[in-house]
């Protein structure tokens, strides 16, 4: 079983967050792993409010959450285009599912991924609603694709046992892979291409990448719009920013000109503009 990744890319001030909350990543059930990067679980009990910030990944998240002042609920969060902020107070719990870029489409095959981009929607809006009694009492292997927010949120959020929460997430997702062979094949293609952009530092231009993959730029753009929710250029730029922020927070002395060249920016000023636009401060200020 492959362990979830351990980097903190996207989390602004990860050390500050981890001193205030319990943060864990868990692996989903085997049939879900082609589509799900990992589950992420957070619990907190704070004496003072704390604001957490995240530079979103190019992926959809399914999030069950319970805050001190409201009952538990679930929602689907599409790819976020801006810095995400959340204020944590008192006691709370979040159980999230981070899908791979392109990996959510098999769970909602009728809708392009752009329908969710930069939006946070109730579960019933995305998956459809069913009778509350059926959704709350059906066994995992007989549950219908519909869901009631209260039933699903309670099943995931109420157990104190972490394994039980993971099992509840598995039970929610397993019956909801509803795509046919064509959508699954296209999702697999999109996930593979997005992962190449994430891991291959030689990819600098979308046109060259499309040509290397034997497709036109327009075909690549349509695939990413339908399955990832953002353009391949946006994905490329976002992963560059993640890398720059990770280096800024982990290296005592960063050679920004060298890093800009390594990440494929035209110059250091270009890197500084991208980071500043994403997190609101230049990378040197972020590092401090």
């Amino acid at each position: 079983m492959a362990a979830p990744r351990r980097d903190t890319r996207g989390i602004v001030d990860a050390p500050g967050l981890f001193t205030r909350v319990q943060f864990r990543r868990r692996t989903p059930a085997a049939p879900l792993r082609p589509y799900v990067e990992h589950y992420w679980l957070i619990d907190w009990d704070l004496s003072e409010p704390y604001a957490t910030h995240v530079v979103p990944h190019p992926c959809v998240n399914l999030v069950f959450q319970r805050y001190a002042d409201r009952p538990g609920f679930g929602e689907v969060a599409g790819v976020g285009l801006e810095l995400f902020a959340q204020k944590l107070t008192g006691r709370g719990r979040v159980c999230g599912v981070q899908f791979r870029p392109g990996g959510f489409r098999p769970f909602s095959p009728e809708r392009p991924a752009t329908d969710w981009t930069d939006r946070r929607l109730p579960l019933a809006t995305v998956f459809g609603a069913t009778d509350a009694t059926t959704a709350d009492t059906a066994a995992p292997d007989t549950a219908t694709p519909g869901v009631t927010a209260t039933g699903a949120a309670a099943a995931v959020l109420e157990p104190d046992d972490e394994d039980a929460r993971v099992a509840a997430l598995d039970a929610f997702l397993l019956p909801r892979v509803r795509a046919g062979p064509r959508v699954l094949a296209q999702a697999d293609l999109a996930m593979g291409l997005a992962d190449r952009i994430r891991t291959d530092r030689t990819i600098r231009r979308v046109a060259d990448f499309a040509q290397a993959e034997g497709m036109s730029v327009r075909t690549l753009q349509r695939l990413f719009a339908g399955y990832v929710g953002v353009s391949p250029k946006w994905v490329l730029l976002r992963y560059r920013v993640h890398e720059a922020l990770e280096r800024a927070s982990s290296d005592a002395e960063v050679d920004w000109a060298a890093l800009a060249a390594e990440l494929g920016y035209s110059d250091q000023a270009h890197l500084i503009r991208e980071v500043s636009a994403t997190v609101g401060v230049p990378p040197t200020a972020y590092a401090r």
Side-chain angles (χ1 to χ4, degrees):
M1 178 188 300
R5 61 183 179 82
R6 299 181 62 86
D7 66 78
T8 60
R9 291 182 182 182
I11 303 175
V12 178
D13 186 26
L17 175 66
F18 295 164
T19 61
R20 293 170 172 86
V21 307
Q22 291 180 290
F23 179 90
R24 294 87 71 206
R25 292 189 178 112
R26 294 289 301 269
T27 303
L32 297 170
R33 291 173 203 161
Y35 317 110
V36 175
E37 181 82 27
H38 57 250
Y39 297 152
W40 49 278
L41 312 177
I42 302 178
D43 293 271
W44 66 90
D45 187 355
L46 301 175
S47 58
E48 297 181 353
Y50 176 75
T52 179
H53 298 82
V54 177
V55 180
H57 289 254
C59 59
V60 173
N61 280 265
L62 171 63
V63 189
F64 295 94
Q65 45 205 314
R66 184 178 68 207
Y67 300 97
D69 59 347
R70 61 187 302 187
F73 65 100
E75 63 182 6
V76 171
V79 178
L81 302 181
E82 307 292 340
L83 184 70
F84 173 76
Q86 178 66 57
K87 184 178 181 181
L88 307 180
T89 61
R91 297 181 63 185
R93 172 174 292 170
V94 175
C95 300
V97 180
Q98 182 174 309
F99 292 88
R100 301 185 188 280
F104 184 70
R105 183 68 183 270
F107 297 83
S108 185
E110 303 86 0
R111 305 278 294 274
T114 48
D115 278 7
W116 323 122
T117 300
D118 220 25
R119 303 175 70 191
R120 302 178 71 88
L121 300 167
L123 294 187
T125 302
V126 179
F127 293 107
T130 62
D131 176 77
T133 303
T134 302
D136 287 354
T137 60
D141 60 345
T142 61
T144 61
V147 62
T148 59
T150 53
V156 172
L157 294 168
E158 286 185 0
D160 287 328
D161 179 71
E162 186 176 310
D163 291 339
R165 285 181 248 168
V166 170
L169 290 170
D170 286 340
F172 179 84
L173 289 174
L174 283 169
R176 291 180 170 83
V177 181
R178 300 184 287 115
R182 180 185 176 281
V183 169
L184 291 176
Q186 290 293 97
D188 186 63
L189 175 60
M191 287 187 290
L193 294 175
D195 191 61
R196 274 206 57 198
I197 292 174
R198 180 177 66 87
T199 57
D200 189 344
R201 288 288 176 268
T202 67
I203 298 172
R204 303 290 179 83
R205 299 179 64 250
V206 171
D208 295 340
F209 179 54
Q211 183 177 26
E213 295 297 330
M215 61 179 67
S216 69
V217 171
R218 181 58 185 150
T219 298
L220 182 64
Q221 290 171 335
R222 284 199 300 266
L223 177 69
F224 271 59
Y227 286 80
V228 181
V230 287
S231 70
K233 181 178 180 179
W234 192 95
V235 174
L236 179 61
L237 292 174
R238 178 49 53 91
Y239 281 138
R240 285 177 177 177
V241 169
H242 277 172
E243 176 75 12
L245 294 176
E246 183 86 352
R247 295 280 284 275
S249 62
S250 60
D251 292 358
E253 296 292 337
V254 179
D255 185 335
W256 295 107
L259 180 59
E262 178 185 335
L263 296 178
Y265 287 98
S266 56
D267 52 32
Q268 181 177 341
H270 188 192
L271 166 62
I272 292 172
R273 286 196 302 271
E274 289 288 340
V275 171
S276 300
T278 302
V279 298
V281 295
T284 51
Y286 177 86
R288 288 196 300 269

